[in-house]
C-alpha cells in the first residue's frame, strides 16, 4: 500500500470549479447585469443555463433595488450610452452599500477616449474582478499586456485581473493561473466574452475567493466551448451548443479537458 | 349504432386552439410589442413562427401609428425605463382610441416599488388580458396567488387573468381553465414567458373571446415546449426547437398532448 | 481543340462573389452598425460568420470614433428613436469626413410618417447603397416598385438601389442585376433582411464597386438561405443554420446554386 500522489494543480482547479458549478445550481444566485444591448439575451441564457437567475434592468429609478436583491453585479461597457453610464454609477453605489461584489468587463475601451476615462474611474471603485483583452488592458493600464504588468495592476487595485487571449491569465498579484482551454469559434460569436464574464460573476456569487471564482468561471466556459466545438458545424450551431454545454458540464468533463497551470 | 360521446373539455380546447392557430397563419395579424430589450428578438421570432407579424418600435413620435396599424398590442414591463414608460402611455391611448385589444405582462413587478405602482395604474386602463406569476400577482393584487383571489381580480378589472406556474390558471371570473402542459426547460431560457404572452396577444388578434385566446395561446406554447423538450439536449437547443415547434404544431399534436381541465 | 465558351453572367457573378467573400475572411473589415435593437445580435453574428468585425455603439460621445475606425457603416432604421436619430446624423457626418462608404436600410418607412421624412433626408446624404422592399420604396420614392422607377431613383441619387422581393433587383442606373435565389423561411425569422444588408456593407468594405458589392452580398446571403433551408426543420433551426451557411459558403456552392440574370 502506498500514499496517494498529491493532487495536481489541474486536478485541484477542476475539482474546485466543479464544486462551484454545483453550488450555482443549488443556490440559484441572482446576478444583476448592466450589459450591452447586443449581449443581453445571450448573457441571460448562459447564466440561466448555469443555474443562476439574471436580471438586466437599467432604469435609474429601480436599479438600486435590483442590485440590493442580487448576489453579484456585472458591469459591461459594450454599448455605452448616457442611460448605462448613470445606471452604472447608481448600481456600483448600491453594491458598495449592500456589500455585493461586482465584476467589470471594459469592452472596447481601446476604441474610444471617453470610454477609457470612464473605465479608469470605475477601477477606483473596487471591482472584485476585472476581465479584459490585451488591447483593453493596454488602454486602461498604459502598460504592455503581459503577466508582470497584470500582476502589478491587480495589486495596485486590490482586485483579480483576468487577461483573455489564446491563454487566459488570472492573477490577484499573489496567485497566478493560466488557462489554455477554449476554441477559435468562441471569437466568431458575438457577446461570447461578455457571457464568459457573466459566468465569472455567477461563480463570485457563490465563492468568496474572487481568484478561485475567476479561474472557475473562465475554465468552465472554455471547456464548455471545447465541448460545443466538437458538435458544431459553424458559429451558428456553436452558439447553441455552448449554452447546452454550460448546462451539462460536470467535474468529470473538467478533469478530462482542463489545461490549467 | 350509438350516439357520439360529448366532446371533452380537453378535446374542445385542443380543437379551438388548433382553429385559432390556423387563423393566425391565414390572417397574419400584426402585433405591436413594447417589450424588454432581452426579449425582443426571441419574442419576434416566436410571433413570426406562429404566422403573426411583429413590430417593436418604442419611439414616442411613431408608436401611435404602429398601434393603430396593428391588430393587438403587447405591453411587457421587463426592462422598464423612461423611454418605455412614455411609449406605454401613448400606445395604450392609441389602442383605446382605435379599439385594439391589449395584453399586459408585468414582469418583475415584485422586484421594485416604482414598477409595482406603474403596473397597478395600467390595470385601470382596461387590458383585455393580464398574465403574471405568483410573486407578480401578489405584488399587484395584495392577495395570495390562488384561484379565488385570481377570479376576484379578473372580475374587479373586467379582464382575463392568467396565473403562470406548474399549472397555469386562466380565468375571466366566470370561466376558469387549468393547463398542466409544459416543461421545466421553459424556465431555463430567458424571455420564454414573455414570448408565451406574445403568442397570447397573437391569439387575441384573431379570437374575440379573450378567455379562449388566453387558454389557446398558453396551451399551444406549453405543448410546443413539450415537443421541443423531447428533441433538446439542453436549454440552448431547447430555445431553437420551441420556435420550430410553434411553427409546426397542429391540432393532432394538441389533441394528443393537451392536459386541460 | 476549341475556344472556351465566354463566361456566363451567372458564372461571372458567382466567381466575383466568391472572391469578395474570400477578401472579407482575409481582411476582416470593421463594420459599424446603427441598427435596431431586435436585429443587433443576429446582425453581429452574421457579420462575424462572414469574417467581418461588427461594432454597434450608439453613444453620441463616441460613435464618430467608431465610424472613423471602421471600413463601412450600416444605417438601419428598424427601431427608430431619438438616440438613434442623433447617432445617425453624427455617424454619417463622420463617414463623409473620413471617406467611409455607408449603406441605408430604411426598415418600415411605410409604417410611419416621421420615419419616411427622415429616410428621404438621409437619401440626400449620399449613401453608396440603399436596400428596401416594395412598400418602403414606394414610400420614399413616391413611385411604383418596379425596375424602371428603381433605375431612375438610383440615377437621381447617385447610388445603388436594391429592391428586395421574390426576385431581388439591384441597379446603379447603368447595370441591373436580378437574383432569384432565397427561401421562404427567410421571411419567417426577424432581422433576416437587416442581416442581409449588413452582409452587403461587409462586401462594400472590401469591394470598391458598390454594384458588385450589393449583388455579391445579396447573392451570398440568398444562397446561404437555400443551404440552411435544406437542413432546417422550422424557422428556429433555420436561423441557426443560415449563420453556419454564411461561414461555410464557397465559390463551388455559389456556382451550383446561383440564379442571376
Amino acid at each position: 500500500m502506498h500514499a496517494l500522489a498529491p493532487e495536481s494543480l489541474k486536478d485541484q482547479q477542476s475539482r474546485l470549479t466543479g464544486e462551484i458549478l454545483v453550488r450555482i445550481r443549488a443556490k440559484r444566485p441572482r446576478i444583476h447585469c448592466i450589459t450591452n444591448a447586443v449581449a443581453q439575451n445571450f448573457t441571460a441564457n448562459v447564466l440561466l443555463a448555469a443555474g443562476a437567475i439574471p436580471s438586466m434592468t437599467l432604469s435609474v429609478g429601480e436599479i438600486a433595488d435590483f442590485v440590493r436583491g442580487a448576489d453579484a453585479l456585472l458591469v459591461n461597457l459594450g454599448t455605452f450610452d448616457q442611460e448605462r453610464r448613470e445606471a452604472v454609477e447608481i448600481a456600483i453605489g448600491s453594491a458598495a452599500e449592500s456589500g455585493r461584489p461586482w465584476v467589470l468587463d471594459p469592452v472596447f475601451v481601446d476604441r474610444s477616449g471617453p470610454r477609457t476615462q470612464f473605465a479608469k474611474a470605475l477601477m477606483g471603485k473596487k471591482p472584485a474582478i476585472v476581465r479584459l483583452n490585451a488591447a483593453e488592458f493596454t488602454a486602461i493600464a498604459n502598460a504592455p499586456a503581459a503577466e508582470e504588468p497584470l500582476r502589478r495592476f491587480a495589486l495596485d487595485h486590490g482586485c483579480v485581473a483576468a487577461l483573455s487571449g489564446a491563454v487566459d491569465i488570472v492573477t490577484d498579484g499573489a496567485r497566478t493561473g493560466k488557462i489554455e482551454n477554449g476554441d477559435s469559434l468562441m471569437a466568431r460569436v458575438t457577446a461570447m466574452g461578455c457571457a464568459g464574464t457573466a459566468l465569472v460573476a455567477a461563480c463570485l456569487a457563490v465563492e468568496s475567493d474572487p481568484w478561485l471564482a475567476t479561474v472557475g468561471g473562465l475554465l468552465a466556459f472554455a471547456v464548455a466551448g471545447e465541448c460545443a466545438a466538437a458538435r458544431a458545424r459553424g458559429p451558428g450551431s456553436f452558439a447553441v451548443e455552448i449554452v447546452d454545454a454550460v448546462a451539462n458540464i460536470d467535474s468529470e468533463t473538467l478533469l478530462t479537458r482542463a489545461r490549467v497551470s
Side-chain angles (χ1 to χ4, degrees), chain A:
Chain A
M1 200 177 139
H2 48 269
L4 282 167
E7 192 180 31
S8 72
L9 179 66
K10 169 187 114 44
D11 286 1
Q12 190 185 24
Q13 289 303 340
S14 301
R15 180 177 52 78
L16 291 170
T17 297
E19 291 171 11
I20 290 172
L21 295 179
V22 166
R23 289 209 291 281
I24 295 174
R25 288 165 192 161
K27 294 191 176 175
R28 310 222 62 191
R30 289 176 174 185
I31 313 302
H32 192 74
C33 306
I34 299 176
T35 194
N36 65 80
V38 186
Q40 286 183 320
N41 185 278
F42 188 66
T43 299
N45 278 335
V46 166
L47 286 172
L48 282 164
I53 311 282
S55 57
M56 298 269 164
T57 195
L58 303 171
S59 167
V60 296
E62 53 180 16
I63 194 166
D65 280 353
F66 273 81
V67 173
R68 208 172 294 120
D71 300 290
L73 170 67
L74 170 71
V75 175
N76 172 305
L77 304 183
T79 44
F80 176 70
D81 49 37
Q82 193 51 36
E83 180 188 30
R84 281 178 173 80
R85 185 192 282 255
E86 288 173 35
V88 166
E89 304 277 1
I90 299 171
I92 291 176
S94 174
E97 261 178 50
S98 49
R100 301 290 180 267
W102 68 282
V103 179
L104 179 63
D105 195 340
V107 175
F108 272 157
V109 286
D110 53 309
R111 295 279 286 275
S112 123
R115 206 183 281 215
T116 314
Q117 294 314 311
F118 189 62
K120 283 184 180 177
L122 291 182
M123 283 308 301
K125 300 195 172 183
K126 305 222 162 292
I129 301 163
V130 58
R131 189 212 181 182
L132 25 60
N133 67 25
E136 292 156 0
F137 177 74
T138 298
I140 291 185
N142 303 317
E147 187 173 338
E148 197 42 41
L150 190 73
R151 277 192 59 242
R152 246 175 295 131
F153 184 79
L155 285 172
D156 287 351
H157 292 89
C159 71
V160 170
L163 184 66
S164 51
V167 176
D168 286 344
I169 308 178
V170 180
T171 183
D172 62 1
R175 295 166 291 177
T176 299
K178 292 177 187 170
I179 303 165
E180 291 178 48
N181 294 89
D183 188 274
S184 64
L185 275 170
M186 297 179 87
R188 296 295 289 273
V189 178
T190 195
M192 193 55 78
C194 304
T197 310
L199 189 56
V200 168
C203 292
L204 184 63
V206 301
E207 169 55 60
S208 58
D209 178 342
W211 184 80
L212 276 186
T214 310
V215 173
L218 295 181
L219 175 60
F221 202 56
V223 168
E226 292 180 7
C227 298
R231 300 184 52 98
R233 292 177 311 276
S237 47
F238 179 76
V240 173
E241 294 285 351
I242 198 170
V243 176
D244 283 358
V246 166
N248 296 328
I249 198 168
D250 56 21
S251 296
E252 202 179 315
T253 311
L254 288 163
L255 271 170
T256 309
R257 288 193 176 263
R259 287 177 289 146
V260 179
S261 61

